[in-house]
Amino acid sequence: MAASGAKRVITPPWVAPGPAAVAVRTRLKQLTAQDEAVLRLVGDHLGSLAASDLKVRCAAGLEHDSDQWATRKRGLTEHSSSRWAGSITKSTHDQWASAHRAQFAHIQRLEAGIRMITRRLSLPVGQQGTKNTPGGYRSRREWFAKTRRLHVLQDRVAALYPKRDAGIVDVVRGGRSLLTTRHNLDAAGLTEPEWRRRWKSARRFLQADGESGKRFGNETIRITPDGEVSLKLPTPLVGLANARHGRYVLGAPVTFSYRELEWHNRVETNQAVAYRIHEDVVRGRWYITAAWHRPPTVSTPLRVAIADGAVGVDANEDHLAAWRLDRHGNPVGQPRRFDYELSGTADHRDAQIRHALTRLLHWATSTGEPAVAIEDLNFDREKTREKHGRNTRFRRLISQFPTRRLRNRLVGMAARYGLTVIAVDPAYTSTWGAQHWQKPLCTARRTTTRHEAAAVAIGRRALGHPIRRRTAPPRDDQSDRRGHRTAQAPSGIRGHEEARPHQHGPRTRSVQPGGGPKAGDQDSQDRSGRPAEHQYLLPLSR
């Protein structure tokens, strides 16, 4: 369907900023039984402190200030240490802030659903909608069901308003999903002891923020350049120390196979590195994650990034479609497809996306293009049933499609490959790609898909070229002296890629029947000789 009647303004492409932080993970191998017992004791003790601190923080709500923060930290220091207390209070505040933002977003989604239902209820039953605005409900039965749905949403949002105004949030340490699993153990395939082990592991607290200028960048959880791991024991557990100054040293060293050189440089120069230790109960393994902030990098200017062309990437339900374009916007070579499977757990979907992006970046590096163009998709506010109605398949797709995680992973991985990521407006890329590029790019041996044509459209938009192709002039006149007759405006005109209203009348020099100079008065002439007021508007010219 042509998009000539649309009025959406297309934002210009922009260069996505590089990653601001780095996190690498490795396994703690060959831990002794004593090591695991100490880690569990420390994690359980600090986890109980974190739970009590979160309770105090949630009770304070919006009235919380720096004085209360200092009071909380002093209370935790008596049962741990000043650095452990600082890490706990900071983690608690971040968790409360995240829950408060999620609550605000949930209220916005409920209000949007209420507005949509109220509008559709005010329309007559069966009234047709437009391209961007739904009409009335299809039947009286659906109309009645939506009135009940409206009352449910109004009750939910009314119950959230007092909590929002007071800063009261609902937080579960360990995860709400794991908590609800406790009441559905048979469906989850777990026994009560298995669930209990997962619950304790999720509620443990074994993470410490880094400190620049301190030895090896962290005084609480310390890893030397040789891989020796030690942690500062809380005050009640100092008797378990096997090293000086109340520290416990794990028996097995660790190595970071990913970004090892960068981590070594930070540790040897005493720059801040944060660490987190956690147990994977399902696999029976322990892991440690190191994270640090990267210095802000200067983004490559857009004109420099697209000087040699770009690779257009179209993200779909089960694959990434990519095509290389030169600097003039012409497709070069063959398109590529990188498959993945968005099913199973969130970790499985994330792994699938990561593997597909790895193959994509390897191929983009081999082509020599320094830029990768992708759509700036965001479905955070578009997942409700009120927005998409009965289209359950599309709602399920956008709910499980990790748009933000895909973009963030692509930016971080592309920076390691030395590639620039260009985000473009997703408006009409699939429609115009199929309309203007799918058929011309088909050959006798290859059929271009709609997604591959969309990749070309995305790449052209990133390069600053219009997506819509020129309309060929008529055969009897190959000049343009009759006026502009293209499907898009010239590149020099502002807003050349935006949709324009349809212009009535012939777009070429040829004239339709009944409009020529010898056609005569169509309202007064007819072969039958009938009066003008009863005449049919039939053309006289042939």
Side-chain angles (χ1 to χ4, degrees), residues 83-96:
R83 289 187 172 86
W84 280 122
S87 298
I88 291 175
T89 54
K90 182 179 181 301
S91 176
T92 298
H93 188 75
D94 292 342
Q95 193 171 7
W96 179 89

Side-chain angles (χ1 to χ4, degrees), residues 355-507:
H355 296 162
L357 291 179
T358 300
R359 298 193 302 269
L360 168 65
L361 295 176
H362 275 297
W363 173 73
T365 305
S366 65
T367 61
E369 301 297 346
V372 176
I374 193 170
E375 294 174 312
D376 186 20
L377 297 172
N378 186 7
F379 293 126
D380 288 347
R381 298 183 181 179
E382 307 294 332
K383 298 180 181 180
T384 61
R385 69 176 74 173
E386 326 307 338
K387 175 68 175 179
H388 300 289
R390 300 182 179 182
N391 195 351
T392 56
R393 182 180 180 275
F394 183 72
R395 282 162 43 197
R396 189 181 304 111
L397 170 63
I398 62 179
S399 295
Q400 69 180 4
F401 194 80
T403 53
R404 183 178 302 178
R405 181 173 295 183
L406 185 146
R407 185 183 59 189
N408 293 341
R409 280 205 172 277
L410 178 60
V411 170
M413 297 172 67
R416 183 152 180 90
Y417 285 86
L419 302 176
T420 303
V421 177
I422 302 175
V424 302
D425 195 316
Y428 318 120
T429 53
S430 298
T431 302
W432 289 350
Q435 180 181 358
H436 295 280
W437 291 96
Q438 184 175 5
K439 185 177 180 180
L441 292 176
C442 290
T443 63
R445 298 184 178 181
R446 185 195 69 229
T447 300
T448 302
T449 65
R450 181 184 181 93
H451 307 300
E452 294 168 352
V456 175
I458 294 170
R460 288 183 63 86
R461 180 166 289 174
L463 295 172
H465 300 298
I467 298 176
R468 291 173 288 181
R469 303 171 69 245
R470 293 176 60 91
T471 300
R475 296 182 179 179
D476 57 344
D477 188 357
Q478 299 293 328
S479 66
D480 278 344
R481 64 174 179 267
R482 299 290 294 182
H484 182 63
R485 294 174 301 185
T486 61
Q488 77 285 334
S491 59
I493 296 179
R494 185 178 182 181
H496 66 281
E497 201 182 349
E498 298 177 8
R500 294 174 300 283
H502 176 67
Q503 296 182 359
H504 300 281
R507 296 179 64 86

Side-chain angles (χ1 to χ4, degrees), residues 34-193:
Q34 178 68 15
D35 293 341
E36 295 185 3
V38 170
L39 290 177
R40 292 192 181 99
L41 287 174
V42 175
D44 293 339
H45 175 72
L46 296 177
S48 63
L49 297 180
S52 60
D53 183 64
L54 180 61
K55 180 180 179 180
V56 175
R57 176 63 187 90
C58 291
L62 298 178
E63 303 298 329
H64 185 268
D65 54 15
S66 57
D67 294 336
Q68 296 183 16
W69 194 324
T71 303
R72 289 165 42 212
K73 185 176 179 181
R74 284 195 297 267
L76 294 174
T77 303
E78 299 177 0
H79 305 284
S80 56
S81 67
S82 60
R83 289 187 172 86
W84 280 122
S87 298
I88 291 175
T89 54
K90 182 179 181 301
S91 176
T92 298
H93 188 75
D94 292 342
Q95 193 171 7
W96 179 89
S98 178
H100 192 255
R101 290 192 300 268
Q103 182 189 68
F104 185 74
H106 182 50
I107 292 176
Q108 285 186 321
R109 288 192 293 268
L110 291 176
E111 292 175 342
I114 291 173
R115 289 193 299 268
M116 180 63 68
I117 294 179
T118 303
R119 180 190 175 280
R120 297 190 68 181
L121 289 176
S122 65
L123 300 176
V125 175
Q127 177 174 329
Q128 296 293 330
T130 61
K131 179 181 179 182
N132 299 319
T133 305
Y137 291 108
R138 300 182 182 182
S139 62
R140 295 290 302 178
R141 180 179 179 180
E142 186 179 4
W143 186 92
F144 176 73
K146 288 300 180 180
T147 57
R148 302 183 65 181
R149 172 71 176 172
L150 178 62
H151 289 299
V152 171
L153 297 183
Q154 289 174 342
D155 292 341
R156 290 179 181 177
V157 75
L160 288 175
Y161 283 148
K163 292 184 177 181
R164 180 198 61 183
D165 298 337
I168 301 175
V169 297
D170 298 327
V171 184
V172 179
R173 290 202 71 254
R176 187 184 302 272
S177 176
L178 188 59
L179 177 63
T180 55
T181 304
R182 175 64 181 85
H183 308 287
N184 302 277
L185 295 179
D186 295 336
L190 296 174
T191 62
E192 197 278 335

Side-chain angles (χ1 to χ4, degrees), residues 171-426:
V171 184
V172 179
R173 290 202 71 254
R176 187 184 302 272
S177 176
L178 188 59
L179 177 63
T180 55
T181 304
R182 175 64 181 85
H183 308 287
N184 302 277
L185 295 179
D186 295 336
L190 296 174
T191 62
E192 197 278 335
E194 292 175 346
W195 177 87
R196 183 67 59 183
R197 286 194 296 270
R198 295 189 183 187
W199 179 249
K200 287 185 176 181
S201 175
R203 291 173 62 87
R204 291 191 187 110
F205 187 91
L206 278 172
Q207 61 186 46
D209 299 327
E211 300 175 85
S212 295
K214 298 298 181 180
R215 190 180 182 187
F216 304 130
N218 198 316
E219 285 285 350
T220 309
I221 301 178
R222 179 186 298 166
I223 303 181
T224 65
D226 298 333
E228 182 185 83
V229 183
S230 64
L231 62 155
K232 177 72 174 180
L233 294 177
T235 303
L237 302 176
V238 173
L240 300 175
N242 60 0
R244 299 174 58 187
H245 308 296
R247 304 189 68 86
Y248 186 88
V249 180
L250 300 181
V254 299
T255 57
F256 293 98
S257 58
Y258 185 66
R259 297 185 183 272
E260 180 181 10
L261 181 59
E262 187 174 353
W263 173 79
H264 263 289
N265 293 336
R266 296 191 64 88
V267 170
E268 291 174 353
T269 56
N270 297 330
Q271 300 184 48
V273 181
Y275 296 105
R276 175 177 177 264
I277 302 175
H278 70 282
E279 181 186 11
D280 188 341
V281 179
V282 178
R283 297 182 178 181
R285 300 175 179 177
W286 288 84
Y287 294 92
I288 184 168
T289 303
W292 60 87
H293 289 282
R294 302 186 67 179
T297 58
V298 180
S299 300
T300 304
L302 180 61
R303 57 181 180 82
V304 177
I306 63 176
D308 297 329
V311 173
V313 180
D314 180 46
N316 302 285
E317 179 181 3
D318 57 351
H319 73 282
L320 298 173
W323 208 323
R324 176 191 173 194
L325 283 77
D326 61 16
R327 62 187 183 92
H328 303 289
N330 300 317
V332 179
Q334 302 294 329
R336 295 294 300 269
R337 176 188 175 106
F338 305 95
D339 296 308
Y340 49 78
E341 182 180 357
L342 295 181
S343 62
T345 63
D347 292 338
H348 178 264
R349 296 196 299 269
D350 182 60
Q352 290 285 312
I353 292 292
R354 186 171 63 251
H355 296 162
L357 291 179
T358 300
R359 298 193 302 269
L360 168 65
L361 295 176
H362 275 297
W363 173 73
T365 305
S366 65
T367 61
E369 301 297 346
V372 176
I374 193 170
E375 294 174 312
D376 186 20
L377 297 172
N378 186 7
F379 293 126
D380 288 347
R381 298 183 181 179
E382 307 294 332
K383 298 180 181 180
T384 61
R385 69 176 74 173
E386 326 307 338
K387 175 68 175 179
H388 300 289
R390 300 182 179 182
N391 195 351
T392 56
R393 182 180 180 275
F394 183 72
R395 282 162 43 197
R396 189 181 304 111
L397 170 63
I398 62 179
S399 295
Q400 69 180 4
F401 194 80
T403 53
R404 183 178 302 178
R405 181 173 295 183
L406 185 146
R407 185 183 59 189
N408 293 341
R409 280 205 172 277
L410 178 60
V411 170
M413 297 172 67
R416 183 152 180 90
Y417 285 86
L419 302 176
T420 303
V421 177
I422 302 175
V424 302
D425 195 316

